[in-house]
Amino acid sequence: MNNLTQFEEQLGSKNRSIRYRAVYQIAKLDDPKAAEMLANVLMNDSDRDIRAVTAKLLTNYQTTDVVGHLKRALKDDRHAQVRRACAEALGNMDATTSLDGLLEALDDRSKLVRRAAVQSLRLLNDLDAVPALVGVLLGDPDSYVRWEAAKTLEVLYAIEAVPALIEALTADDNSYVRYAAAVALGELGDIEVTDPLATTMIRDTDSHVRYAAARALGYFLEETADPSLIRTMLYALDDNNSQVWHAAAESLWSSGDVVMPVVIASFQSPSKRLRKVALKALLWLSAEYDDIDLMGYTDDESYSAWGWWN
């Protein structure tokens, strides 16, 4: 009795553990018949855990037939666990044959399946997925799925998705999505995003989002040398969250050559607040500092403890 015949008998066992072990053993065989046997398990076994494991093991066989079986199970299996496994498996297959199945899965009734489909589209790295991912970013009811869409658009370097990412940054009610949109906009490097990022850095209610916007704006400061943008960055030094003002300060520091003239000019401003943040920026750009020295000081007293001159 050869191995395949033996395993075929085991796959017919009523004992779940025997079938489970047989699936793993079959997946080790470099034999087209083995792929057919696993595909049959995926489509017909009564146990959803075994079907889900089989979907992942089928990635050992990079054939058009296997992709077809995975897409059918992704569409038709009644359990989200199995459909999710199929979506994950398709991310490791050939993009030309698996893309359409994953795009269809973006409308799956399960958020877990939709999220897995977005993650797999990121692995496939195919720009044909961008329009559908934009639809997910702006329309999926689950925030984690929208978050994955923003991350995937960043990885795909989808410049055409910039308007959608701006909309997500300014309008999404979930801070994780806004955070991912801010990071993506910074990485995409489109100069038109500076205004919405600056507004977000100052006004967003979540400190993590403001932090991401401050970091993202650092990519644009030297390129634009825009005094109004630099002044906005200066105001971020007054943020009550240390991570935010650290990010703003680092962004200013990395573009010091274009920032310093604006900082110096700000000392002539009638605005006390602008003069205050300009002093903070000057100390950041020209001196080291130690946060511990600031503990116990009021804002007015902190000027003398902010740093020391080099």
Side-chain angles (χ1 to χ4, degrees):
M1 179 183 299
N2 62 42
N3 283 342
L4 284 176
T5 303
Q6 176 185 352
F7 292 142
E8 194 166 18
E9 291 182 359
Q10 292 174 359
L11 290 176
S13 172
K14 294 182 179 180
N15 187 310
R16 176 183 182 276
S17 297
I18 292 176
R19 301 200 312 277
Y20 206 99
R21 287 195 298 270
V23 164
Y24 273 101
Q25 293 302 315
I26 293 170
K28 296 178 181 179
L29 302 177
D30 185 15
D31 188 323
K33 178 66 174 176
E36 293 178 16
M37 293 172 67
L38 290 176
N40 185 61
V41 172
L42 174 64
M43 304 307 296
N44 298 304
D45 196 275
S46 60
D47 188 281
R48 63 184 178 186
D49 291 331
I50 293 177
R51 297 200 305 278
V53 165
T54 301
K56 296 179 180 180
L57 293 174
L58 275 168
T59 58
N60 294 342
Y61 306 93
Q62 296 280 331
T63 68
T64 302
D65 288 343
V66 166
V67 171
H69 292 307
L70 289 168
K71 289 197 293 187
R72 281 193 292 276
L74 174 58
K75 181 179 179 180
D76 297 334
D77 199 282
R78 63 188 181 279
H79 286 288
Q81 175 186 351
V82 180
R83 300 197 306 277
R84 177 184 183 181
C86 290
E88 291 172 347
L90 286 170
N92 294 296
M93 305 299 281
D94 178 62
T96 58
T97 52
S98 58
L99 179 65
D100 60 335
L102 289 170
L103 293 177
E104 187 174 354
L106 296 177
D107 292 321
D108 194 276
R109 60 187 178 276
S110 167
K111 63 185 180 184
L112 298 177
V113 178
R114 299 196 305 274
R115 186 178 182 186
V118 172
Q119 291 170 331
S120 285
L121 288 170
R122 184 155 70 237
L123 293 175
L124 293 185
N125 198 28
D126 192 323
L127 288 174
D128 287 342
V130 169
L133 289 167
V134 166
V136 172
L137 173 64
L138 299 181
D140 196 278
D142 186 81
S143 60
Y144 277 109
V145 179
R146 300 196 304 275
W147 174 62
E148 292 286 0
K151 291 168 57 181
T152 300
L153 289 167
E154 174 196 344
V155 171
L156 295 180
Y157 207 77
I159 298 296
E160 61 269 42
V162 164
L165 287 164
I166 292 174
E167 182 174 346
L169 175 70
T170 57
D172 200 286
D173 60 2
N174 185 274
S175 63
Y176 284 93
V177 180
R178 300 197 305 276
Y179 176 94
V183 173
L185 289 169
E187 291 294 330
L188 291 178
D190 191 309
I191 209 68
E192 295 179 2
V193 307
T194 55
D195 286 347
L197 281 172
T199 300
T200 295
M201 180 182 63
I202 298 299
R203 297 182 181 176
D204 198 277
T205 57
D206 188 274
S207 62
H208 294 93
V209 180
R210 299 198 304 276
Y211 164 82
R215 288 290 302 271
L217 283 168
Y219 299 121
F220 302 103
L221 278 183
E222 189 167 3
E223 181 180 354
T224 64
D226 181 355
S228 63
L229 177 59
I230 294 172
R231 283 191 291 270
T232 301
M233 296 293 292
L234 294 178
Y235 283 121
L237 296 178
D238 241 3
D239 197 287
N240 58 11
N241 181 277
S242 61
Q243 287 186 322
V244 177
W245 62 255
H246 269 97
E250 289 172 4
S251 293
L252 290 165
W253 176 83
S254 66
S255 306
D257 289 345
V258 299
V259 168
M260 188 61 82
V262 179
V263 172
I264 294 172
S266 296
F267 287 115
Q268 305 299 318
S269 171
S271 167
K272 178 181 178 181
R273 186 184 175 204
L274 182 56
R275 297 196 307 272
K276 174 184 175 182
V277 294
L279 178 56
K280 289 183 177 181
L282 185 65
L283 293 169
W284 259 95
L285 294 170
S286 59
E288 295 179 328
Y289 73 98
D290 188 340
D291 281 341
I292 296 176
D293 290 338
L294 295 179
M295 295 176 64
Y297 285 86
T298 66
D299 282 345
D300 290 337
E301 293 169 336
S302 68
Y303 292 133
S304 61
W306 193 265
W308 59 86
W309 298 100
N310 289 326

